[in-house]
Amino acid sequence: MTENASQQPVSNPELPTQYAPAEVEGKLYERWVERGYFTADPDSEKPPYTIVIPPPNVTGALHLGHAFQVTLMDALTRRKRMQGFETLWLPGMDHAGIATQNKVEQQLAEEGKSRQDLGREQFTERVWQWKDEFGGRILGQLRRLGAGLDWSRERFTMDEGLSKAVQTIFKKLYDDELIYRAERIINWCPRCLTAISDIEVDYQDDDGELVSLTYGEGDETLVVATTRVETMLGDTAVAVHPDDERYAHLIGKRIKLPLTNRTIPVVADHHVDPEFGTGAVKVTPAHDPNDFAIGQRHGLESMTIMDERGVITVHGPFEGLDRFEARSAIVAALREQGRVVAEKRPYVHSVGHCSRCKTTVEPRLSLQWWVKVETLAGAAGDAVRDGRVELHPKEMERRYFDWVDNLNDWCISRQLWWGHRIPVWYGPAGEVICVGPDEEPPSGDGWTQDPDVLDTWFSSGLWPFSTLGWPEETPDLKKFYSTDVLLTGHDIIFFWVVRMMMFGLYAMDGEVPFKTVALTGLVRDEFGKKMSKSNPNAVDPLDWMDNYGSDAVRFTLAKGANPGADVPIGEDWVQASRNFANKIWNATRFAMMNGATLEGPLPPVEQLSATDRWILSRLNATVAEVDAFYDDFQFAKLSETLYHFAWDEVFDWYVELSKTTFFAGGEQAKVSARVLGEVLDVTLRVLHPIVPFVTEQLWTTLTGGESLVVADWPEDSGFRDDAAEKEIELVQQVVTEVRRFRSDQGLQPGQKVPAELALDGTVLAPHEAAIRQLLRLQPAGDGFHATATLPVAGATVALDLSGTIDVEAERKRLTKDLGAAEKEKAQANGKLNNEAFLGKAPDNVVDKIRGRLAKAEADIERITAQLANLPQS
């Protein structure tokens, strides 16, 4: 199956008796990096395979979500590298505008300063200092995880090359009239003092109030309801549905707006739902996106009634109050005038909060820069529809199209100081000039640059090609674009994936930024709850790596990775994966100590035992299954396949079945030793992308090879032996059934029992020695008396249990257990046959009783069989 000519097999390998990840992982990783295994060569004639890492925030630290996605990307790239591809996995970080600025502002606050005290230039210098000192720690933590990233190509969204890419595409979009400046409603954070994107808004159910108010006087009145009473100061209309007869007499008239000296019109708009509430809605165009749209349709005035910090700026009595203080004051004033019709408290409703500082977001009319997305989004949709880009799992396409086909223009300006400054200058006579990267900005009196910076997603949207040198025609761009796979969480499909699609297709003349988007779920705790720093269920993966090793964390994450589905994970599962790594170590070490070798070619089939042919057949089938699962991004299934093949078939069955051959010695032992070496070699190769450290240490010791990182990926040779597989399945059936019987009789695993095996006439006969070894069955000597006979798999196993168990004590114990099971069955049947109980009991209680009945019936069947098999007194 594999080429071993370049390897020098190690004789009498020395490995520690126990695997100690802390003593192995760091040294191996540094060796991989020093030898340049992860460094891609654009001049290579090998076919390219490219993945760019979703850039973590420069403020970030490794969490389980990062570890999860990085593990999967690392597995993909390690396998492709072994398959002979020139593999580039490109690392980097995002400058994370708001998050990073907040970090430094917090640092300044501890010194009693603000960014205004420093000024823009000095503040920006301070952020760069923070980035150099504290930023990027996550990249070092990725090394701990074993991420095979090409560190020679590490990028940052504000490095010189990426800054040039940002300025280039802004200029190109501006010149193509796809970027414009306009007043629109945006999400505004009164604490961060900037517009924020939809993804930076967290919605949660808050206890608020719903207040119903009377507008107008006399016969010309109507009632509106609102959760944001303070915004009434900016109302410029009331809207009703044009077919609502209740308000037909008011449409087109002006009514009095309470607490003000203004009158406002009643307008008819199809947006209003006449069945909801009173069928009349207040319209505040400057503070609500739906109201803004109504205002545009009817030419309404937009009145901004609060400043950037959420302080009321109009109408004397309330001017200077915070928006929430004003809310209470305005309700009190309206109540005094008798205009409060109803008040509902608490009124639970969904409220947007800034994801960074948790401040309630304020919809606000603001002059901002926008990307016109209609044509860009259309191209992004077409690329998936025509198959140039595949989404995994495919069912995610519907969500993708729902978003991209209804995308609104994108607000790209942020009122921050940290980020890519918008490359637009304003002149003293109202001139507006957009400056490209190779152009000199205008100078002289009255010329100023736009103070805003670009949304972080603008620069990260260029990531697949800007990191490869665009806009220059670099060797990297030529070799490695477009990238092969984007692996990321389904939660940012709309905000990042779509933006990369739009920009990639636009900047690269219709060439897609990636051929496949593999969407993952989110990591949750073992009970399916979202992990959060504010909850006690948050886990630092570095702690788990310290305690159990990086391989254990990686294998646990990969084993839970079903496409698009959330991943539950608990410490018990990491412990189980640690046990798997230990099993790989101990079993491989034992096999090597007992003669496993790669010396010489595999013996011809006619020299192989049925056990040898069985494991080679299973080995090839496993390689084929794993390849298919990799190609379909089925990490959970491939991990499960590898787990059961390695632990069950190789270590628990093949190694154990081969022991009698090794103990007997001779030519057959040499043949099996070579087969065992082959099986270990290939097993370690296919395990390597998921658990790279333990496999590397074992494989280099076993083979003398340079490194698994650059070893060949095994291929399915096509060898199958159905007859051998069926033969060993019968052996497994005999061993399993007799083991179960022994356990039922209370025998210890190592306790020896005299037995007669009637195997003649079956394919089991050649395996008698192995069966006896695995079952601790002694030959039937003088005085043998069969007290239990088990027919299984066409053979008969007769056991003499006299002297091995206290038959009467065991019969007494089982009889007591049988009585308890029969009592449980009777009680369950009594409840399930009681119509009064069934009529009142909840479904889950009834289901529980049915489960108890099923268990009791199974226990009765099992215990009855055990009693029947007991030796007769």
Side-chain angles (χ1 to χ4, degrees):
M1 287 186 60
T2 58
E3 296 290 337
N4 295 300
S6 63
Q7 301 168 10
Q8 298 297 320
V10 175
S11 59
N12 300 318
E14 294 185 4
L15 287 168
T17 56
Q18 292 184 330
Y19 178 51
E23 297 176 11
V24 170
E25 294 176 350
K27 295 176 183 177
L28 286 182
Y29 190 84
E30 290 309 314
R31 183 192 305 166
W32 294 334
V33 173
E34 289 169 4
R35 292 182 178 180
Y37 293 153
F38 305 140
T39 304
D41 179 7
D43 298 323
S44 169
E45 294 183 359
K46 297 178 183 178
Y49 183 82
T50 313
I51 291 181
V52 292
I53 196 170
N57 286 354
V58 69
T59 60
L62 185 69
H63 59 65
L64 278 173
H66 292 130
F68 171 55
Q69 293 182 357
V70 166
T71 293
L72 305 188
M73 285 183 277
D74 194 40
L76 290 173
T77 52
R78 283 180 182 271
R79 172 175 173 261
K80 284 296 182 180
R81 190 180 293 111
M82 295 173 75
Q83 287 181 319
F85 286 79
E86 191 61 35
T87 302
L88 170 60
W89 185 20
L90 194 147
M93 294 180 297
D94 194 301
H95 66 279
I98 267 189
T100 308
Q101 178 158 319
N102 280 352
K103 286 281 186 183
V104 178
E105 287 195 85
Q106 290 167 12
Q107 197 178 60
L108 287 173
E110 292 172 1
E111 302 171 11
K113 300 177 183 177
S114 69
R115 60 173 162 140
Q116 285 76 18
D117 293 330
L118 271 65
R120 184 167 194 146
E121 186 175 340
Q122 287 188 27
F123 177 78
T124 304
E125 290 176 3
R126 180 70 176 260
V127 182
W128 277 107
Q129 291 172 9
W130 184 93
K131 183 261 181 186
D132 293 339
E133 185 174 355
F134 300 106
R137 58 178 171 159
I138 188 174
L139 298 182
Q141 292 166 345
L142 295 181
R143 293 172 177 257
R144 280 285 313 277
L145 194 63
L149 291 152
D150 184 347
W151 297 107
S152 70
R153 286 177 167 83
E154 181 185 332
R155 303 305 299 268
F156 178 53
T157 50
M158 283 183 61
D159 67 29
E160 184 177 352
L162 268 66
S163 293
K164 182 176 182 180
V166 167
Q167 199 170 351
T168 299
I169 201 163
F170 187 99
K171 172 71 171 174
K172 181 175 172 61
L173 288 163
Y174 183 87
D175 289 346
D176 288 345
E177 298 184 350
L178 293 175
I179 280 183
Y180 64 95
R181 197 178 188 216
E183 276 196 324
R184 298 280 180 83
I185 295 287
I186 46 86
N187 301 308
W188 181 265
C189 176
R191 199 223 61 90
C192 297
L193 300 181
T194 181
I196 57 177
S197 66
D198 291 339
I199 197 173
E200 291 164 326
V201 179
D202 292 337
Y203 287 91
Q204 64 185 48
D205 287 340
D206 285 359
D207 286 345
E209 58 184 351
L210 181 67
V211 182
S212 298
L213 311 171
T214 300
Y215 282 20
E217 298 287 354
D219 294 335
E220 297 181 349
T221 63
L222 41 68
V223 175
V224 300
T226 180
T227 58
R228 300 164 66 215
V229 176
E230 69 279 6
T231 62
M232 67 158 292
L233 300 178
D235 285 358
T236 56
V238 172
V240 298
H241 193 275
D243 298 331
D244 194 334
E245 294 182 358
R246 292 174 295 175
Y247 305 114
H249 66 292
L250 291 176
I251 294 174
K253 293 186 177 181
R254 299 184 70 87
I255 62 174
K256 183 177 181 181
L257 179 66
L259 304 182
T260 72
N261 294 319
R262 294 189 292 117
T263 60
I264 56 177
V266 177
V267 299
D269 196 281
H270 285 88
H271 171 76
V272 179
D273 180 0
E275 302 298 323
F276 183 77
T278 64
V281 297
K282 59 190 288 297
V283 181
T284 320
H287 292 277
D288 183 273
N290 293 322
D291 293 2
F292 178 78
I294 293 174
Q296 293 289 99
R297 288 193 289 272
H298 296 276
L300 301 176
E301 180 186 2
S302 294
M303 291 184 59
T304 300
I305 57 127
M306 63 182 78
D307 67 13
E308 60 186 11
R309 297 183 183 276
V311 175
I312 302 298
T313 58
V314 298
H315 198 70
F318 311 108
E319 188 172 356
L321 294 179
D322 171 82
R323 54 186 167 154
F324 300 119
E325 296 172 338
R327 181 175 299 174
S328 299
I330 290 171
V331 170
L334 290 166
R335 196 182 294 118
E336 286 182 10
Q337 292 187 4
R339 289 189 174 273
V340 176
V341 177
E343 298 178 71
K344 185 176 181 180
R345 296 189 185 88
Y347 179 74
V348 179
H349 62 131
S350 181
V351 178
H353 296 260
C354 174
S355 63
R356 302 299 177 189
C357 67
K358 309 309 177 188
T359 301
T360 299
V361 168
E362 189 66 39
R364 186 170 190 261
L365 185 64
S366 182
L367 182 62
Q368 303 284 347
W369 285 94
W370 304 80
V371 171
K372 191 181 297 183
V373 302
E374 183 178 2
T375 57
L376 300 174
D382 291 344
V384 174
R385 285 188 172 94
D386 63 26
R388 283 176 290 155
V389 176
E390 293 185 22
L391 265 59
H392 281 266
K394 190 173 179 63
E395 52 264 29
M396 285 290 179
E397 286 186 0
R398 183 182 60 81
R399 292 179 60 192
Y400 177 84
F401 293 134
D402 284 348
W403 177 263
V404 80
D405 293 344
N406 298 285
L407 198 60
N408 295 318
D409 285 359
W410 170 21
C411 176
I412 57 171
S413 46
R414 298 291 180 267
Q415 291 64 57
L416 304 172
W417 288 355
W418 172 246
H420 292 282
R421 188 91 172 261
I422 289 177
V424 172
W425 271 256
Y426 305 110
E431 303 96 330
V432 179
I433 295 179
C434 180
V435 177
D438 300 319
E439 301 171 348
E440 287 292 327
S443 58
D445 292 341
W447 282 97
T448 58
Q449 185 178 358
D450 193 298
D452 290 351
V453 300
L454 288 164
D455 178 12
T456 294
W457 297 101
F458 190 95
S459 51
S460 61
L462 314 182
W463 192 249
F465 53 94
S466 63
T467 52
L468 298 173
W470 187 89
E472 308 301 328
E473 290 288 338
T474 64
D476 277 2
L477 191 65
K478 183 178 180 181
K479 176 75 174 180
F480 297 112
Y481 190 88
S482 60
T483 67
D484 289 86
V485 176
L486 172 73
L487 191 145
T488 190
H490 63 64
D491 54 325
I492 59 172
I493 182 174
F494 315 124
F495 307 105
W496 188 44
V497 176
V498 170
R499 280 149 172 66
M500 285 189 288
M501 288 281 281
M502 292 193 302
F503 280 168
L505 291 163
Y506 174 74
M508 300 300 293
D509 298 322
E511 191 174 359
V512 296
F514 24 73
K515 302 175 185 72
T516 300
V517 180
L519 295 166
T520 70
L522 307 179
V523 177
R524 297 183 178 274
D525 71 12
E526 58 193 305
F527 305 108
K529 294 180 180 178
K530 182 179 179 180
M531 287 191 177
S532 169
K533 291 180 180 179
S534 59
N535 293 332
N537 65 351
V539 171
D540 185 344
L542 295 170
D543 291 340
W544 280 354
M545 285 189 270
D546 288 340
N547 294 333
Y548 307 112
S550 297
D551 283 335
V553 175
R554 290 169 62 108
F555 192 75
T556 305
L557 291 166
K559 203 174 180 184
N562 290 297
D566 288 348
V567 183
I569 184 171
E571 189 165 4
D572 288 349
W573 304 341
V574 184
Q575 291 174 354
S577 295
R578 184 268 317 273
N579 295 342
F580 180 50
N582 288 341
K583 181 75 171 183
I584 297 170
W585 181 272
N586 294 333
T588 304
R589 180 176 177 275
F590 173 85
M592 287 191 283
M593 291 177 62
N594 285 273
T597 181
L598 287 166
E599 193 167 357
L602 269 176
V605 173
E606 56 269 19
Q607 293 183 17
L608 303 179
S609 68
T611 306
D612 294 334
R613 287 183 279 115
W614 163 73
I615 196 62
L616 289 176
S617 181
R618 291 297 308 128
L619 182 67
N620 278 281
T622 298
V623 170
E625 287 178 37
V626 168
D627 277 333
F629 287 142
Y630 262 117
D631 292 341
D632 198 35
F633 304 97
Q634 297 278 0
F635 293 97
K637 291 181 179 179
L638 73 88
S639 298
E640 198 71 25
T641 297
L642 288 170
Y643 176 87
H644 288 296
F645 175 72
W647 190 307
D648 299 341
E649 297 184 291
V650 177
F651 300 138
D652 274 0
W653 282 108
Y654 181 69
V655 171
E656 293 299 320
L657 286 169
S658 300
K659 280 182 179 178
T660 54
T661 304
F662 292 141
F663 293 158
E667 288 303 314
Q668 191 57 51
K670 293 179 181 178
V671 169
S672 292
R674 178 63 186 86
V675 172
L676 180 54
E678 181 76 10
V679 171
L680 291 176
D681 173 26
V682 174
T683 300
L684 293 171
R685 289 174 192 251
V686 292
L687 280 167
H688 176 73
I690 304 291
V691 284
F693 293 110
V694 66
T695 53
E696 173 83 345
Q697 188 72 11
L698 292 171
W699 186 85
T700 53
T701 304
L702 168 71
T703 68
E706 180 184 351
S707 172
L708 266 176
V709 180
V710 292
D712 291 337
W713 180 257
E715 295 182 1
D716 172 17
S717 70
F719 175 77
R720 300 288 192 279
D721 193 322
D722 292 340
E725 290 198 34
K726 291 177 181 177
E727 184 171 328
I728 300 305
E729 284 175 12
L730 292 176
V731 174
Q732 293 171 325
Q733 188 176 342
V734 171
V735 173
T736 301
E737 288 298 321
V738 177
R739 278 178 174 168
R740 183 181 293 116
F741 175 78
R742 286 175 57 109
S743 175
D744 288 344
Q745 301 306 315
L747 296 176
Q748 296 299 313
Q751 191 171 352
K752 295 181 178 180
V753 178
E756 284 184 346
L757 274 63
L759 306 178
D760 293 341
T762 72
V763 296
L764 295 169
H767 302 283
E768 179 170 352
I771 291 171
R772 285 187 176 275
Q773 169 68 24
L774 290 169
L775 290 173
R776 304 295 188 266
L777 300 180
Q778 295 176 315
D782 294 339
F784 175 82
H785 174 62
T787 60
T789 301
L790 304 176
V792 57
T796 302
V797 179
L799 304 173
D800 184 354
L801 301 181
S802 58
T804 60
I805 60 173
D806 185 334
V807 175
E808 288 308 314
E810 187 66 10
R811 180 174 285 111
K812 185 177 180 180
R813 181 185 70 82
L814 290 172
T815 301
K816 181 180 178 181
D817 290 347
L818 180 61
E822 288 173 337
K823 182 179 180 181
E824 176 73 4
K825 176 182 177 181
Q827 290 177 342
N829 269 325
K831 290 184 177 180
L832 293 175
N833 292 326
N834 185 333
E835 293 297 333
F837 171 78
L838 294 176
K840 295 179 181 179
D843 289 344
N844 65 317
V845 172
V846 175
D847 289 342
K848 187 175 181 180
I849 299 298
R850 290 192 179 115
R852 286 169 51 188
L853 175 62
K855 183 180 183 302
E857 290 174 338
D859 286 345
I860 291 169
E861 183 178 354
R862 174 179 56 81
I863 296 168
T864 301
Q866 289 177 241
L867 282 167
N869 284 320
L870 278 177
Q872 298 302 310
S873 301

